[in-house]
Amino acid sequence: MSKIITDQRNLEMKYEELVKHRVELKALGDKTAYKENQQKIKDVSLALRESTKMLCRNLKENPNVSGTLLKIQEER
């Protein structure tokens, strides 16, 4: 469970970085780098979606809410 949460957090941070970088690239007008960044955003977004599905599935299978919340708080 903690590995899934860690992976989820890493994907979220990577997505955030790519979106920030997209704004910079758009201002520069570098179309090639912008398109590459857009593809990376799509890839990370897909991975993030799959990770979220897996996290939800595991939370449904292990409904120990108080224990899960404690683990999440400890991980963060």
Side-chain angles (χ1 to χ4, degrees):
M1 181 65 88
S2 64
K3 182 183 180 338
I4 295 171
I5 293 170
T6 302
D7 291 344
Q8 181 82 10
R9 186 174 337 125
N10 291 338
L11 285 169
E12 289 171 357
M13 289 186 328
K14 187 172 183 177
Y15 183 81
E16 183 179 350
E17 290 172 16
L18 288 169
V19 169
K20 285 180 184 178
H21 191 62
R22 176 178 63 183
V23 172
E24 296 168 4
L25 291 174
K26 194 170 187 177
L28 293 175
D30 186 359
K31 299 294 181 191
T32 305
Y34 180 78
K35 288 180 181 180
E36 289 174 7
N37 190 57
Q38 283 294 98
Q39 185 60 44
K40 289 178 185 177
I41 288 174
K42 287 180 184 179
D43 294 342
V44 171
S45 132
L46 180 62
L48 189 56
R49 191 174 308 130
E50 292 301 316
S51 176
T52 301
K53 284 181 187 178
M54 190 179 345
L55 179 60
C56 289
R57 190 176 313 126
N58 281 322
L59 289 173
K60 285 180 184 178
E61 291 173 2
N62 301 312
N64 181 2
V65 176
S66 62
T68 303
L69 288 176
L70 287 174
K71 280 185 179 180
I72 290 172
Q73 289 174 349
E74 288 173 2
E75 291 293 322
R76 291 188 178 183

